[in-house]
Amino acid sequence: MSRLRSAAAALAGGGTGTVFALLIAIFAVVAAVNPGFFEAPSLMAFLKQAAPLVILAAGQYFVIVSGNFDLSVGALVGAQVVIAARLIDGEESRTLPVIGLMLLFGAAVGLANGLITTALKVQSFITTLGMLLVLYGAIRLWTGGAPTGSLSESFREAGRMGIENVPLLGQIPWALLIMLALGAGAVQLMRTRFGRVLIATGDNELATARSGGRVDTVRTTAFVLSGLSATVAGILIGGFAGVSAQVGEGMEFTVITAVVLGGVVLGGGQGSVVAAMGGALTLEALFTLFNQLALPASLRPSVQGAIIIAAVAYAARQRRLTSRKPQREARPLTATPS
Amino acid sequence: MTESTVLTMRGIDKSFLGVRVLRSVDLDVRPGEVHALVGENGAGKSTLMKILAGVHTADAGTITLGGRAVSFTHPLQAQHAGVATVFQEFNLLPDLSVAENIFLGREPRRRGMIDRRAMTKRTADLLSDLGVDDLAPGAKVGSLSVAHQQIAEIAKAMSQGADLVCMDEPTAALADAEVELLYRLVERLRERGVAVLYVSHRLREIFDLCDRITVLKDGELVDSVAAADITPDDLVTLMVGRRIEAAFPEPLPDTDHGDVRLEISGGGNAWLDGIDLTVRAGEIVGLAGLQGSGRTEIAEAVFGIAPFTRGTVAVDGRPVKLTGPRKAIAAGIAMVTEDRKAHGLALRQSVRANARMVLDANRRAHSRARVERIPSILSSLDLVARGPDQEVRYLSGGNQQKVVVAKWLATEPGVIVLDEPTRGIDVGAKHRLYTAIRALAAEGLAVLLIASELIEVIGLADRIAVLHDGRIAGELPAGATEKQVMAYATGRSPR
């Protein structure tokens, strides 16, 4: 029983359980508007579509909780899809080598982000904004403006297909299984020494360094994980939606919205990876609800912007309330017991 | 008081968060006198000066300046009333010239434009009036030496027509030649009838420069005497006073002083020089010294934060290169830092996460057995928390400090450096930490203890190394008196 309670507490991640309450509330409204939503096929379709954002959110969580941002993920997703189409060019046999290459490329972009941020002391906001533009421009240059080539069938399998004819559920999408596996991996990673040092770094870099923590290394690793998550997301999105020049556009903001919606504090040190992924699901559910209510899709950026501002304002207020430091003079100067 | 005074303070009280730092203090400063304000760390000198400068407002008491009762709530009011204060951190803008700084906000104007020539001329006059001939009005303040920046600050004060100049440890950052320059400047101020209130720890300066001396202790006025009527020895006695001995726990019976665990030979860097220091297993060595004497710098060098650039360090007989905290941790050194919120804890993480932080961050320190020992370490320190999942920001200062101590004990160190371990914590928690320090020694750790409260060092240390100006001025055995320590700390040899 206490095990169950502690598991629930871990899932809630210290005050971030609100996001799951919100998710349930949105689902309830969705169910009221469209009772058919919770039938297996449409639910599975929803999860398949949400999987890339959830995976991106896990990657972004590592970066944010260590005190940085990664704005380059949207451009990286787009770049990966374009790279895949161009290099595979419809040849089945090239699928696996190209996926390997994409993973290397994603890791390299993350490594560059991390090293520029930690070794050159450039703010991650600027580093990854620059990387976004570099990737965007390089892809346009390489492809001459429009994506060329095409993806192989086996490449698209992961984003489109699944285990068919499962009793009750019908199709279980590969995307869902990949999301669950990576999500479990992310949760497990945060329980390792790496995860603990990562979150401590975001909370108090100096204290962590003085405890012997390699703050630059863990922060760089977080960027690499984010780059890898963008690669996986790119594979799923490419499979699901195919190749276009717009793939990934604006996703960096969607994923940051998702992470802060999960209660992860911008600036680092607070929040759980489960809640970050929950935030991604919640955001997708919200957009689904918009569809159900026939609200225009053009409303989405405004909603994301409002969520980001509200979440950051809330976090700033929390900080002001809890970490108001007494002035230096306020210390008892001589409190010698006498 | 029939004599004229430029400043009269009566019954000044000041508390911070319920802690009384000044208790009914009186101070009289006469025109043209250099008046020293002395006392141990925490005696209340700086607070009194800040009240005078309008940085703090007194809770009670009156201030009379040139016969007018005043009450400052802002530093500008103090400036306008003729009080200029030269703090240890300067209030000058480094990218502007000396002249621009001096006339900032009240530049001489001609037809609405700033009259640079007049500004330069007036600055040059001001400086030559002060007897300073090697400072160009057009020089950028940021490029000046500390001494010259100080001169610029004093010149600025003079240009505002100050009757009283307050200086807070003006020589703390000066080289010997620069101190001479400051002496001349103070003389010049005296000749012009400007009173100087001079806060310093250095007895030699006080007797060289000052006419009268006011001694504060524990926030109270001890005495105000003419410098000619008191010997340096008697002054130290006044500063230290007699105190009721605090109850410090006795060493545990099975404490043995074993082999040398920490040995520093000829250690030096930008702040320290010629440091020779050994700490044996089971021994508590206290580092005493006034603010800026190099106590914390030794701790930071030993822990690799600001490493020694000269000399050697050996731990348990093995030479070690302490170039960073990771190296120090690998060598078995632990350090409880002075500022636990900035350097010690990740405040939004749990008690458990903080207590195992060092183990998590250092593969070689990490072991399952050590992690499992953490709860018993925490309970042996009598930690009061709702549970291991409580975020440390919600703990009291004393309990936060216990978490810091626990995270270092978890690594089973051989040497532990305690830099102000009891700062800002209540008496009960202090006593608990004293007992814990004794227990560490009994377990065979080498303990290096730094505290600005002398009584703490005297009450706990088996041996005291007293620092002055980045060097060890002398070592004293257990049972040394505060007077002996203060003598070394103020740069004199005790007799």
Side-chain angles (χ1 to χ4, degrees):
Chain A
M1 192 61 211
S2 74
R3 214 187 158 80
L4 196 71
R5 203 177 306 135
S6 73
L11 207 67
T16 50
T18 8
V19 70
F20 290 100
L22 191 61
L23 179 62
I24 290 166
I26 292 171
F27 273 158
V29 180
V30 170
V33 176
N34 174 14
F37 178 78
F38 286 98
E39 281 164 27
S42 68
L43 190 62
M44 286 299 148
F46 167 77
L47 290 171
K48 178 158 73 181
Q49 197 181 340
L53 188 65
V54 173
I55 291 165
L56 277 179
Q60 188 74 226
Y61 167 82
F62 294 121
V63 176
I64 288 183
V65 88
S66 75
N68 286 316
F69 288 96
D70 189 352
L71 294 179
S72 68
V73 289
L76 183 54
V77 166
Q80 295 283 24
V81 171
V82 170
I83 288 171
R86 171 111 181 210
L87 294 185
I88 292 174
D89 204 12
E91 289 273 345
E92 291 297 329
S93 62
R94 292 188 193 160
T95 305
L96 278 182
V98 169
I99 286 179
L101 203 69
M102 289 165 69
L103 288 170
L104 279 180
F105 181 65
V109 169
L111 187 65
N113 280 334
L115 291 179
I116 292 168
T117 302
T118 56
L120 302 183
K121 311 270 178 237
V122 179
Q123 284 185 5
S124 61
F125 189 87
I126 299 301
T127 308
T128 58
L129 184 65
M131 184 61 77
L132 180 160
L133 294 172
V134 167
L135 287 172
Y136 187 83
I139 291 304
R140 293 294 174 285
L141 182 71
W142 191 48
T143 59
T148 53
S150 63
L151 300 169
S152 61
E153 279 308 306
S154 48
F155 184 94
R156 298 198 63 174
E157 171 102 12
R160 271 203 299 203
M161 304 306 186
I163 304 174
E164 302 295 337
N165 302 322
V166 177
L168 296 174
L169 296 176
Q171 185 206 54
I172 299 180
W174 293 121
L176 173 61
L177 295 175
I178 292 170
M179 171 186 111
L180 289 175
L182 292 182
V187 170
Q188 208 48 46
L189 188 60
M190 284 312 290
R191 305 173 73 145
T192 62
R193 296 197 300 118
F194 165 79
R196 295 170 191 278
V197 174
L198 187 74
I199 196 166
T201 299
D203 189 341
N204 188 341
E205 178 181 358
L206 206 50
T208 308
R210 289 201 175 184
S211 299
R214 297 186 206 252
V215 297
D216 287 350
T217 309
V218 294
R219 279 181 165 155
T220 304
T221 309
F223 277 109
V224 171
L225 291 171
S226 179
L228 288 173
S229 79
T231 307
V232 175
I235 293 170
L236 296 183
I237 293 172
F240 181 77
V243 187
S244 81
Q246 283 77 42
V247 177
E249 243 174 49
M251 276 201 96
E252 59 278 349
F253 295 114
T254 312
V255 70
I256 289 173
T257 310
V259 172
V260 298
L261 192 60
V264 180
V265 175
L266 294 181
Q270 208 168 15
S272 74
V273 66
V274 173
M277 293 187 289
L281 271 184
T282 306
L283 199 60
E284 286 286 352
L286 190 65
F287 292 154
T288 303
L289 180 62
F290 282 12
N291 279 342
Q292 309 274 356
L293 297 175
L295 293 174
S298 48
L299 200 59
R300 289 182 184 187
S302 312
V303 172
Q304 288 182 23
I307 291 174
I308 291 184
I309 292 172
V312 174
Y314 176 77
R317 188 178 157 72
Q318 286 296 101
R319 263 178 204 230
R320 240 194 351 269
L321 290 179
T322 56
S323 70
R324 188 178 290 155
K325 279 187 187 167
Q327 290 177 312
R328 200 177 162 75
E329 293 79 21
R331 284 184 181 136
L333 292 170
T334 38
T336 307
S338 51
Chain B
M1 271 303 138
T2 50
E3 294 165 88
S4 73
T5 60
V6 56
L7 167 74
T8 308
M9 296 175 98
R10 285 285 173 270
I12 302 293
D13 277 353
K14 181 71 188 172
S15 301
F16 291 111
L17 297 181
V19 178
R20 265 282 186 74
V21 292
L22 288 176
R23 200 182 298 262
S24 193
V25 171
D26 298 344
L27 180 69
D28 291 293
V29 180
R30 298 165 199 166
E33 87 172 348
V34 182
H35 193 120
L37 195 56
V38 300
E40 283 185 279
N41 292 331
K45 308 177 300 269
S46 291
T47 308
L48 191 64
M49 185 170 270
K50 283 182 177 163
I51 288 172
L52 200 49
V55 177
H56 298 320
T57 306
D59 297 336
T62 59
I63 305 174
T64 314
L65 263 174
R68 284 214 337 262
V70 293
S71 160
F72 304 139
T73 52
H74 191 275
L76 273 180
Q77 297 172 337
Q79 274 178 34
H80 292 150
V83 179
T85 306
V86 182
F87 286 111
Q88 288 178 45
E89 315 85 45
F90 299 119
N91 299 312
L92 298 173
L93 303 175
D95 291 328
L96 296 186
S97 72
V98 173
E100 284 165 335
N101 264 290
I102 289 176
F103 289 99
L104 189 68
R106 46 196 185 90
E107 294 86 351
R109 282 171 194 274
R110 240 179 65 163
R111 290 193 226 112
M113 307 289 281
I114 291 175
D115 186 350
R116 294 197 162 273
R117 275 179 49 195
M119 196 160 85
T120 306
K121 173 80 170 55
R122 281 168 62 181
T123 302
D125 292 349
L126 202 61
L127 290 172
S128 72
D129 204 28
L130 286 170
V132 179
D133 47 17
D134 56 348
L135 182 55
K140 282 233 184 319
V141 161
S143 68
L144 300 178
S145 69
V146 174
H148 276 127
Q149 290 190 25
Q150 224 165 39
I151 290 168
E153 185 110 60
I154 292 167
K156 182 175 180 177
M158 296 315 302
S159 75
Q160 295 165 349
D163 307 310
L164 174 66
V165 177
C166 305
M167 300 185 187
D168 189 8
E169 300 260 4
T171 58
L174 298 187
D176 287 349
E178 297 173 330
V179 172
E180 288 301 320
L181 200 62
L182 183 81
Y183 275 25
R184 288 213 309 273
L185 206 60
V186 170
E187 282 304 327
R188 193 58 74 106
L189 291 176
R190 191 205 320 253
E191 285 164 19
R192 295 182 38 157
V194 175
V196 176
L197 187 62
Y198 194 92
V199 170
S200 180
H201 284 307
R202 303 184 185 197
L203 293 189
R204 194 169 62 85
E205 278 169 24
I206 289 165
F207 282 96
D208 282 352
L209 277 179
C210 300
D211 306 306
R212 287 202 316 137
I213 304 171
T214 292
V215 183
L216 294 181
K217 193 175 103 59
D218 293 345
E220 293 184 46
L221 176 70
V222 176
D223 205 352
S224 221
V225 293
D229 296 344
I230 189 168
T231 65
D233 266 349
D234 291 341
L235 181 61
V236 169
T237 309
L238 281 186
M239 286 162 70
V240 174
R242 243 186 297 278
R243 273 192 193 167
I244 307 153
E245 282 301 309
F248 285 96
E250 287 297 308
L252 296 178
D254 50 350
T255 308
D256 293 321
H257 294 179
D259 297 334
V260 172
R261 298 207 79 159
L262 175 70
E263 180 165 24
I264 305 168
S265 314
N269 57 25
W271 303 276
L272 301 167
D273 195 33
I275 302 293
D276 292 314
L277 191 66
T278 59
V279 190
R280 292 176 175 279
E283 194 180 26
I284 302 173
V285 171
L287 285 182
L290 299 163
Q291 226 140 36
S293 61
R295 292 176 321 211
T296 292
E297 284 73 12
I298 288 192
E300 294 190 336
V302 168
F303 200 62
I305 296 163
F308 287 122
T309 50
R310 302 185 293 276
T312 58
V313 181
V315 175
D316 290 331
R318 281 189 306 276
V320 285
K321 280 253 168 284
L322 301 170
T323 50
R326 287 182 70 82
K327 291 278 170 58
I329 292 164
I333 301 173
M335 176 165 166
V336 175
T337 51
E338 184 178 9
D339 187 343
R340 65 182 159 268
K341 284 188 177 170
H343 304 146
L345 294 168
L347 287 171
R348 287 174 290 154
Q349 309 307 312
S350 66
V351 168
R352 182 196 290 122
N354 272 284
R356 58 181 293 178
M357 196 198 285
V358 189
L359 298 183
D360 282 333
N362 299 276
R363 182 199 297 274
R364 280 166 59 188
H366 189 273
S367 79
R368 205 188 173 84
R370 283 181 177 173
V371 173
E372 284 168 358
R373 230 165 53 88
I374 288 175
S376 69
I377 294 174
L378 288 170
S379 64
S380 75
L381 291 167
D382 301 332
L383 179 81
V384 180
R386 279 212 311 271
D389 292 319
Q390 190 175 15
E391 291 177 28
V392 293
R393 61 177 157 163
Y394 297 119
L395 301 181
S396 70
N399 282 304
Q400 287 181 346
Q401 191 68 334
K402 289 172 187 173
V403 176
V404 176
V405 172
K407 84 172 189 178
W408 289 111
L409 295 189
T411 65
E412 301 177 56
V415 175
I416 187 161
V417 183
L418 303 166
D419 189 6
E420 303 279 4
T422 62
R423 168 163 278 174
I425 69 178
D426 64 83
V427 175
K430 271 187 188 184
H431 200 81
R432 188 66 202 82
L433 277 173
Y434 296 153
T435 318
I437 293 168
R438 287 286 190 217
L440 294 180
E443 280 174 31
L445 269 78
V447 181
L448 196 57
L449 172 71
I450 298 168
S452 53
E453 290 172 28
L454 261 187
I455 190 141
E456 213 167 89
V457 178
I458 290 171
L460 288 170
D462 299 311
R463 193 149 55 81
I464 302 169
V466 188
L467 284 143
H468 176 72
D469 271 350
R471 292 170 160 276
I472 294 181
E475 279 202 15
L476 294 164
T481 63
E482 290 192 47
K483 198 174 153 187
Q484 288 171 308
V485 175
M486 283 300 283
Y488 276 132
T490 49
R492 298 169 327 118
S493 53
R495 282 289 161 252

